[in-house]
């Protein structure tokens, strides 16, 4: 569980005597202070102060929440109640109503709201202030019995659930039974008498479950409600959510409570309630996007109980209010310079804004709105860039359904959150979590989702609901998480108990595969192939703005010509790491590599390398051509060579099998049944066939000899710590012909390109270097081969020669290494391993999860660069390297090169480039821009 961090300020308050201000009216609260007032409270203050029609109310601060939660006896801090009463008086004056009054009662909502929006994760209570007396007053005043009892039953249920801990299901059962009795399908069909009866039964439910009558004193109700909302900060949902989204106490600490005069969207057909976005949050298009319900309360829209209407329909239903709503939309966006997600209520023809917050949008929408708002001068280009978190772009790499698929959809709902996903259906969040953990891909299928389903969202690939609109809980949460969602697919009947869903004639059982397309709203049976997304024009433009401000260049790690071409489409400005060993693994190449390894003499080894030379040359040529005139960093062979041979156990088993085959073949060879074949799968995965005759025996013998040789070699090459062993430059110096072949391949490819005037930029990089002398030796090979290639091709190959910095000693020797190298590239995978003495192969599966859970290490150092340890080594290396050679080009090619925080650190170190996997390139380009803009901002402070 996330621990509660009591700020020093809150701690002081516990000891403080003098009255402290915990409560702020909407007229006085500082709209910029979200930490103190929560996002919702701060915005209610700001909207009030810029003249928007917000119902009167006040905010109880997050300080009050933390002080309350830290108190031993769970009492509100001294002064809170007095300040609440004082503020309630002001609300009474502003509304002309009185709290607890039997004539014209004031009702309030008690809403949660922390510094960071956590939609639906904490509690809210509506219609507070109802009891037998005020009920009568409300009846006298509104003359609307149905409305009054509707408000009452909602209040009892919400208060019962949130403040008194009565399970929701108890109320739902009573409610459904009464609907059934009344013969109605939707709650709007219930009469005043039905609702009155439901209210009576609800009061009884509360008494049965809690053993006490429902509280009738309105200030007692208010105090209980305030505490309940504060408590919801440490509730499971909220804690899970904060953990999942890494919300630290520095980002949001405690929830504020907003007490707001109730306005009613369910006062008849001139009343309505709705939720809207100033732009389409799914696509980012500049259209008014929202939904509303006439004669309903706010929760009805988001809970998906009734399917709402698109906001545009209000234009015909209530034209002048639609006009006011359009004005509100535009005022909100120009004031906040951000797409707003706001709630409104129309009470008897008067429009109120109940809350606003920055719209949560998927990456597509963020990119489009950023670009369009910059073009419309609402934002500067830099503001547009800073609006998007770099990691968010990863969402754009989500797959889409292959447009060539021919599947007929089973059902259609609303396209509520784009992207496509396949998985097995599950019908409740707990099962989703369970099956999701069992490494199944799951799609959570629900009638509607509720905040308590959040763990099911985390576990699922996508969400499908049969009720609710594009602003339903399911849609909002899925969009925030970047997961596909189809909402309101009304043809689907979900039966949670039977773990199945019916769609017309079809029945889907738990475990059946479905595919959902959140871009079209279609639902399909089975798994449908997906394709990679393409870049939108807006994203391309945004990334060019990023490149204009970034100081770091962004390269890609790519090992073959296809990967290099792909990296180019992501905007890679070069290849920062080509791991040449990966070229050796192709099935037609591996046997040659094995031949080279098994060679007993230098001649034999050279013969094998001669076969590899043209293959490597062609690979290098293709990559250089694909990237020309961008740099391509080619790293000489790095891993220990035993990695190209099968394991010892595997070889031993093969030998047993081959010997057995030989006996069989010898036994039957007299039958001369040469048509029959014996099969043996060799350790390279290929199936070898041996005929049943003398020839077969001979071939098996040869195979046995080869395997025995391999086994012997495996024994010879065995090392206790191969990662610290005979690899990298050490290998290159013991078997010079291997590196020489690779250097020749690079330089010949370069010369061939240069001869036809193609500007290629190879950079030869040596791995695992720990001393300058190693570099001197390899450089000598390079010079020798360069002279030969020059003579042979009559051109001077142009290239750079540099080193990886991935060994601690290399950092310490950076000055000496810089004398020999034109560039450094930090291999932070190995450097992290070496600095921590954590095996990069095992740590992440063994103890790092525990270290993260217990906060022993804040981040996984293989994911996020450890600036305190590894970073300090890098700093020293940069300093000493550049002291020796001021124009030394320095980059990073470990996994950290694509991680935004690490990229910021590389920028601060003054590196020239980062290199990461192709799909991370857009993320890195934006992160590099953020790093520059962050620096500029700090400089101007
Ligand atoms: C590194 O060590 O960071 C690196 C890039 O090399 P490899 O991952 O291939 O060891
Ligand atoms: Mg390495």
């Amino acid at each position: 569980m996330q621990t509660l961090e009591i700020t020093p300020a809150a701690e002081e308050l516990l000891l403080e005597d003098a009255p402290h201000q915990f409560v702020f009216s909407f007229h006085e609260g500082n709209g910029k202070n979200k930490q103190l007032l929560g996002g919702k409270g701060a915005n209610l203050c700001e909207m009030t102060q810029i003249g928007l029609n917000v119902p009167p109310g006040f905010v109880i601060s997050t300080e009050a929440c933390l002080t309350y939660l830290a108190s031993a006896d769970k009492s509100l801090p001294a002064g809170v109640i007095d300040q609440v009463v004082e503020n309630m008086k002001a609300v009474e004056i502003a509304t002309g109503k009185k709290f607890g009054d039997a004539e014209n009662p004031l009702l309030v909502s008690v809403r949660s709201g922390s510094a960071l929006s956590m939609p639906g994760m904490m509690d809210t209570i509506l219609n507070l202030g109802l009891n037998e007396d005020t009920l009568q007053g409300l009846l006298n005043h509104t003359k609307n019995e149905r409305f009054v009892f509707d408000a009452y039953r909602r209040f009892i249920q919400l208060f019962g659930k949130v403040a008194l801990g009565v399970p929701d299901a108890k109320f739902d059962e009573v409610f459904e039974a009464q609907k059934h009795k009344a013969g109605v399908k939707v709650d709007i069909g219930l009469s005043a008498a039905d609702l009155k009866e439901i209210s009576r039964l609800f009061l009884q439910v509360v008494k049965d479950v809690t053993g006490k009558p429902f509280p009738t004193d309105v200030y007692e109700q208010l105090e209980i409600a305030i505490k309940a909302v504060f408590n919801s900060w440490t509730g499971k949902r909220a804690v899970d959510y904060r953990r999942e989204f890494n919300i630290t106490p520095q980002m949001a600490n405690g929830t504020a409570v907003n007490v707001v005069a109730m306005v009613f969207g369910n006062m008849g057909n001139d009343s309505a309630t709705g939720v809207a976005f100033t732009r389409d949050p799914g696509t980012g298009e500049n259209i008014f996007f929202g939904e509303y319900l006439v004669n309903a309360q706010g929760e009805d829209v988001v809970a998906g109980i009734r399917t709402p209407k698109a906001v545009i329909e209000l234009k015909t239903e209530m034209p002048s209010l639609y006009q006011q709503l359009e004005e509100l939309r535009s005022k909100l966006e120009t004031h906040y310079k951000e797409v707003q997600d706001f709630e409104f209520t129309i009470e008897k023809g008067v429009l109120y804004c109940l809350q606003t917050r920055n719209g949560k949008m998927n990456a597509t929408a963020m990119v489009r709105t950023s670009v369009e708002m910059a073009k419309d001068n609402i934002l500067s280009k830099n503001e547009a860039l800073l609006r998007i978190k770099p990691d968010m772009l990863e969402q754009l790499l989500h797959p889409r359904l292959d447009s060539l698929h021919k599947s007929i959809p089973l059902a259609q709902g609303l396209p509520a959150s784009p992207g496509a996903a396949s998985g097995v259906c599950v019908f409740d969040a707990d099962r989703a979590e369970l099956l999701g953990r069992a490494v199944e891909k799951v799609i959570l299928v629900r009638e509607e989702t509720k905040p308590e389903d959040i763990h099911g969202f985390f576990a699922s690939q996508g969400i499908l609901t049969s009720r609710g609109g594009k602003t339903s809980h399911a849609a909002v949460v899925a969009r925030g998480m970047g997961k596909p969602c189809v909402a309101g697919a009304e043809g689907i009947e979900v039966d949670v108990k039977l773990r199945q869903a019916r769609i017309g004639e079809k029945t889907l059982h738990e475990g059946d595969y479905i595919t959902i397309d959140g871009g079209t709203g279609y639902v399909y049976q089975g798994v449908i192939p997906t394709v990679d997304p393409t870049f939108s024009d807006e994203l391309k433009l945004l990334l060019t703005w990023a490149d204009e401000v970034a100081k770091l260049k962004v390269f890609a790690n790519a090992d073959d010509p296809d990967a290099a071409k792909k990296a180019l489409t992501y905007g890679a400005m070069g290849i920062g790491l080509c791991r040449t060993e990966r070229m050796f693994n192709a099935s037609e190449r591996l046997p040659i590599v094995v031949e080279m390894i098994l060679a007993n003499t230098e001649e034999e080894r050279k013969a094998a390398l001669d076969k590899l030379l043209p293959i490597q040359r062609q690979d290098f040529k293709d990559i250089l051509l694909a990237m020309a005139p961008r740099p391509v960093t080619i790293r000489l062979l790095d891993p220990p060579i035993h990695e190209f041979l099968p394991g010892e156990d595997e070889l031993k088993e093969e030998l047993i099998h081959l010997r057995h085959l030989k006996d069989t073949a010898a036994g039957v060879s007299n039958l001369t049944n040469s048509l029959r074949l014996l099969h043996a799968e060799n350790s390279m995965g290929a199936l070898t066939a041996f005929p049943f005759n003398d020839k077969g025996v001979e071939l098996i013998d040869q195979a046995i000899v080869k395997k025995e040789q391999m086994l012997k070699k495996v024994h010879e090459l065995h090392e206790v710590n191969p990662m610290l062993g005979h690899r990298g430059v050490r290998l290159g110096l013991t078997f010079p012909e291997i590196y020489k072949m690779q250097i020749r391949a690079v330089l010949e490819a370069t010369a061939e390109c240069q001869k036809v005037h193609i500007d290629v930029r190879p950079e030869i990089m040596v791995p695992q270097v720990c001393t300058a002398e190693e570099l001197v030796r390899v450089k000598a090979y390079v010079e020798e081969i360069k002279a030969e290639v020059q003579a042979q091709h009559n051109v001077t190959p142009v290239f750079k020669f540099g080193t990886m910095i991935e060994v601690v000693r290399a950092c310490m020797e950076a000055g000496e290494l810089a004398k020999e190298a034109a560039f450094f590239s930090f291999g932070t995978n190995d450097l992290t391993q070496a600095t921590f003495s954590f095996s990069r192969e095992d740590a992440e599966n063994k103890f790092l999860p525990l270290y993260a859970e217990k906060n022993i290490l804040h981040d996984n150092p293989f994911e996020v660069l450890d600036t305190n340890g590894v970073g300090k080594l890098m700093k020293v290396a940069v300093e000493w390297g550049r002291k020796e050679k001021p124009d030394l080009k320095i980059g990073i090619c470990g996994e950290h090169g694509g991680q935004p925080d690490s990229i910021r650190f590389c920028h601060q170190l003054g590196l020239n480039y980062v290199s990461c996997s192709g799909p991370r390139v857009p993320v890195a380009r934006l992160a590099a821009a953020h790093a520059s803009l962050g620096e500029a901002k700090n400089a101007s402070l």
Side-chain angles (χ1 to χ4, degrees):
M1 207 173 100
Q2 190 165 333
T3 49
L4 185 72
E5 186 168 298
I6 305 298
T7 57
E11 212 171 315
E12 251 175 48
L13 292 174
L14 288 169
L15 308 167
E16 195 181 81
D17 288 337
H20 179 85
Q21 185 168 6
F22 285 111
V23 183
F24 300 82
S25 90
F26 291 166
H27 287 284
E28 65 180 336
N30 174 359
K32 302 283 176 280
N33 197 347
K34 294 192 175 169
Q35 283 294 344
L36 183 70
L37 303 178
K40 188 182 291 166
N43 282 336
L44 284 167
C45 292
E46 185 139 318
M47 287 197 293
T48 304
Q49 292 162 34
I50 63 169
L52 299 181
N53 198 21
V54 173
F58 53 89
V59 194
I60 311 170
S61 69
T62 55
E63 264 180 6
C65 171
L66 293 181
T67 315
Y68 160 77
L69 289 173
S71 66
D73 60 347
K74 285 283 178 300
S75 58
L76 291 173
V80 167
I81 289 296
D82 292 346
Q83 292 171 35
V84 164
V85 172
E86 204 180 298
N87 274 276
M88 282 299 285
K89 300 272 175 267
V91 176
E92 287 177 343
I93 293 168
T95 55
K97 299 176 182 177
K98 264 179 136 13
F99 195 42
D101 190 38
E103 286 303 312
N104 187 10
L106 167 68
L107 303 188
V108 292
S109 62
V110 180
R111 295 166 184 265
S112 56
S114 71
L116 274 186
S117 159
M118 295 166 49
M121 294 304 113
M122 287 176 296
D123 292 325
T124 277
I125 295 171
L126 303 175
N127 304 333
L128 187 135
L130 279 173
N131 58 24
E132 292 292 314
D133 296 341
T134 56
L135 200 65
Q136 202 49 50
L138 201 62
L139 265 174
N140 294 343
H141 197 73
T142 61
K143 311 271 182 289
N144 185 341
E145 204 183 3
R146 190 187 183 286
F147 156 72
V148 171
F149 283 105
D150 193 30
Y152 195 32
R153 64 96 188 173
R154 286 169 193 268
F155 171 52
I156 302 166
Q157 177 162 5
L158 256 183
F159 192 92
K161 172 184 152 191
V162 170
L164 306 174
V166 180
D168 224 7
K170 298 259 180 212
F171 295 113
D172 288 346
E173 257 170 44
V174 169
F175 193 72
E176 287 308 314
Q178 195 62 24
K179 259 168 60 180
H180 187 72
K181 209 163 144 192
V184 297
K185 277 211 151 48
V186 285
D187 55 350
I188 202 153
L190 290 166
S191 67
D194 294 328
L195 293 165
K196 186 173 179 182
E197 177 59 5
I198 288 172
S199 305
R200 189 186 69 75
L201 292 168
F202 275 11
L203 287 174
Q204 194 54 46
V205 167
V206 171
K207 197 164 177 196
D208 290 347
V209 175
T210 65
K212 288 190 210 147
F214 192 86
T216 52
D217 181 283
V218 291
Y219 272 104
E220 186 190 344
Q221 290 176 357
L222 185 54
E223 184 172 342
I224 296 174
I226 293 168
K227 288 180 177 173
V229 175
F230 280 163
N231 286 333
S232 67
W233 176 253
T234 49
K236 182 173 168 8
R237 260 184 289 148
V239 171
D240 284 353
Y241 189 91
R242 291 201 292 277
R243 190 186 309 111
E244 182 69 20
F245 290 103
N246 292 325
I247 299 178
T248 61
Q250 285 68 35
M251 294 153 84
N253 204 5
T255 179
V257 166
N258 303 285
V259 179
V260 193
M262 285 297 304
V263 286
F264 296 98
N266 54 343
M267 273 217 175
N269 289 339
D270 57 353
S271 301
T273 187
V275 182
F277 284 80
T278 53
R279 295 176 193 230
D280 183 334
T283 63
E285 193 182 349
N286 190 3
I287 51 161
F288 195 9
F289 178 96
E291 290 170 329
Y292 73 101
L293 282 170
V294 169
N295 199 10
Q297 266 198 334
E299 79 214 33
D300 299 342
V301 183
V302 284
I305 291 163
R306 281 159 57 191
T307 301
K309 298 180 189 175
V311 78
I312 191 75
E313 292 186 38
L314 195 68
K315 200 171 181 173
T316 32
E317 220 169 347
M318 301 182 191
S320 89
L321 281 152
Y322 179 79
Q323 188 52 38
Q324 289 177 37
L325 203 57
E326 273 282 10
E327 281 162 24
L328 177 62
R329 170 193 177 205
S330 128
K331 276 189 192 156
L332 284 172
E333 202 172 84
T334 8
H335 180 77
Y336 285 101
K337 289 175 154 238
E338 187 45 273
V339 173
Q340 294 296 293
D341 162 3
F342 65 102
E343 284 179 18
F344 61 91
T345 283
I346 298 167
E347 183 186 275
K348 293 193 161 298
V350 181
L351 173 68
Y352 294 90
C353 188
L354 300 190
Q355 80 166 68
T356 191
R357 60 185 174 208
N358 292 346
K360 272 195 193 247
M361 284 175 284
N362 60 33
T364 311
M366 282 300 279
V367 169
R368 179 163 178 179
T369 50
S370 267
V371 170
E372 291 184 353
M373 284 163 88
K375 284 184 176 169
D376 292 344
N377 290 324
I378 298 174
L379 300 173
S380 68
K381 278 187 192 176
N382 290 350
E383 283 170 335
L385 287 169
L386 286 172
R387 221 180 132 237
I388 303 171
K389 277 196 165 173
D391 270 331
M392 201 180 194
L393 296 187
E394 185 109 63
Q395 276 182 27
L396 294 178
L397 308 163
H398 281 179
R400 286 179 289 110
L401 288 189
D402 183 347
S403 58
L404 296 178
H405 80 90
K406 295 271 185 289
S407 308
I408 311 278
L410 270 183
Q412 187 176 16
L414 301 167
S417 178
S422 303
V424 297
C425 331
V426 283
F427 302 100
D428 70 70
D430 292 343
R431 297 285 302 165
E433 195 174 41
L434 202 75
L435 292 182
R437 261 203 224 121
V439 210
E440 282 280 8
K441 290 195 162 150
V442 301
I443 304 286
L444 179 61
V445 185
R446 302 281 287 158
E447 193 166 82
E448 61 191 277
T449 62
K450 290 191 171 181
E452 41 268 51
D453 291 330
I454 190 75
H455 55 300
F457 279 71
F458 294 142
S460 305
Q461 307 299 307
I463 318 295
L464 168 61
T465 65
S466 60
R467 291 210 302 218
K470 286 194 205 170
T471 49
S472 64
H473 175 264
V476 172
V477 175
R479 269 201 301 272
M481 291 184 180
K483 296 194 174 188
C485 173
V486 173
E490 291 181 352
I492 304 181
E493 273 174 57
V494 178
D495 188 328
V496 179
K497 280 203 181 113
L498 289 181
R499 292 197 192 149
Q500 65 180 37
R502 291 197 60 76
I503 309 176
E505 300 290 282
K506 264 227 145 54
T507 303
L508 287 175
H509 300 278
E510 183 181 278
D512 289 349
Y513 272 94
I514 58 167
T515 298
I516 61 168
D517 183 346
T520 59
Y522 285 126
V523 180
Y524 302 87
Q525 193 161 20
V527 177
I528 300 197
T530 52
V531 284
D532 288 345
T534 46
F535 273 18
S536 67
D537 288 345
E538 285 93 2
L539 178 59
K540 281 187 196 145
L541 183 59
L542 189 91
L543 289 173
T544 60
W545 296 348
D547 296 344
E548 281 162 22
V549 294
K551 289 200 183 126
L552 284 168
K553 297 261 175 278
V554 178
F555 293 176
N557 295 351
D559 307 323
D560 58 54
D562 286 344
K565 283 177 203 150
K566 191 97 202 269
L568 267 184
T569 66
Y570 291 117
M573 302 163 201
I575 300 297
L577 175 62
C578 170
R579 292 175 163 105
T580 52
E581 59 270 15
R582 300 216 175 143
M583 295 170 171
F584 290 159
N585 282 325
S587 57
E588 74 285 6
R589 300 175 183 192
L590 200 50
I592 314 176
V593 178
V594 171
E595 204 179 308
M596 170 193 84
I597 297 171
L598 295 183
N600 287 320
T601 62
E602 200 178 315
E603 275 63 44
E604 279 176 18
R605 195 158 34 251
K606 275 196 180 137
L609 287 166
D610 283 349
K611 289 189 210 163
L612 282 175
L613 175 69
I615 300 175
Q616 285 243 293
R617 185 173 52 219
Q618 192 56 44
D619 281 343
F620 294 147
K621 197 168 164 184
D622 289 345
I623 299 184
L624 288 168
L625 287 174
M627 297 306 293
R630 301 171 188 84
V632 177
T633 317
I634 297 168
R635 183 177 74 184
L636 302 177
L637 195 69
D638 183 30
I641 47 175
H642 76 82
E643 283 190 11
F644 298 103
L645 294 179
E648 181 178 350
D649 291 346
E650 207 179 326
L651 282 168
K652 281 183 175 162
E653 253 176 51
E654 279 175 20
L655 274 168
I656 293 172
H657 184 57
L658 282 170
R659 285 181 186 129
H660 176 73
L661 276 186
K662 183 183 164 184
D663 292 346
T664 316
V668 295
S669 65
N670 293 340
L671 303 175
T672 60
N673 189 352
S674 58
L675 291 176
R676 289 177 55 200
L677 298 174
L678 286 168
H679 289 95
E681 195 174 315
N682 75 16
S683 48
M684 301 296 159
L687 208 61
T688 316
F690 301 102
F692 262 61
N693 54 20
D694 290 345
K695 181 76 189 153
V697 175
E698 198 185 316
L699 288 173
I700 293 171
D701 267 337
Q702 284 170 10
I704 290 174
V705 170
K706 184 105 179 227
K707 297 288 165 191
E708 280 170 342
Q709 272 178 349
M710 277 194 191
L711 189 60
K712 189 163 161 254
K713 202 67 174 181
V714 165
H715 286 149
E716 266 173 44
L717 294 175
H718 174 76
E719 289 176 297
V720 177
N721 276 322
M723 291 302 278
L724 304 179
H726 199 179
R727 59 176 293 206
V729 68
R730 277 100 72 182
L731 192 69
L733 294 176
T734 23
F735 302 110
E737 45 296 340
I738 302 180
Y739 271 21
K740 285 186 180 175
M741 179 280 288
Q742 291 199 296
I743 295 165
R744 186 178 300 282
V746 175
L747 297 188
E748 285 184 357
T750 307
E752 284 177 16
C753 295
Q754 282 179 206
K755 268 200 328 209
V756 290
H757 309 291
I758 300 174
D759 182 7
V760 292
R761 310 258 172 107
E763 307 201 346
I764 297 173
M765 180 160 77
V766 190
Q768 301 293 330
V769 169
C770 64
T771 159
E773 194 50 33
E774 289 168 331
L775 274 188
V776 170
R777 305 284 170 110
V778 180
K779 211 171 176 180
Y781 307 165
V782 172
E783 290 304 323
E784 169 195 323
I785 294 164
K786 181 181 159 190
E788 286 170 20
V789 172
Q790 200 168 337
Q792 184 191 347
H793 288 269
N794 218 10
V795 289
T796 309
V798 178
F799 62 95
K800 285 197 169 108
F801 176 77
T803 179
M804 297 267 310
I805 303 284
E806 53 185 342
V807 170
V808 176
R809 195 175 189 281
C811 298
M812 301 293 106
E813 281 281 280
E816 290 304 303
L817 296 182
K819 288 183 185 158
E820 308 304 329
F823 66 91
F824 284 177
S825 178
F826 285 107
T828 44
N829 303 332
D830 277 320
L831 194 55
T832 300
Q833 166 169 269
T835 308
F836 280 84
S837 282
F838 286 176
S839 159
R840 59 188 269 199
E841 312 299 326
D842 299 316
E844 283 169 296
N845 300 328
K846 295 282 192 292
F847 53 86
L848 279 181
L850 178 113
Y851 268 42
E853 194 187 311
K854 304 231 178 277
N855 220 6
I856 298 171
L857 269 180
H858 191 264
D859 293 304
N860 171 354
F862 291 105
E863 244 170 57
V864 181
L865 192 78
D866 160 52
T867 51
N868 289 337
V870 179
K872 282 189 185 141
L873 289 169
M874 292 170 73
K875 192 161 187 279
V876 164
V878 170
E879 223 171 277
W880 293 347
R882 291 241 171 94
K883 201 161 156 203
E884 178 62 40
K885 188 175 272 175
D887 62 345
L888 184 70
K889 173 172 151 180
I890 308 181
I892 176 175
C893 61
E895 289 309 303
H896 307 90
Q899 200 279 326
D901 293 333
S902 315
I903 292 172
R904 190 179 52 243
F905 181 73
C906 293
H907 169 94
Q908 288 160 355
L909 281 189
L911 300 200
N912 301 91
Y913 69 89
V914 294
S915 188
C916 55
S917 70
R920 291 295 294 183
V921 166
V923 175
R925 287 166 73 192
L926 185 56
H930 277 210
S932 291
L933 293 170
E935 184 185 64
K937 196 169 151 207
N938 288 340
S940 66
L941 285 179

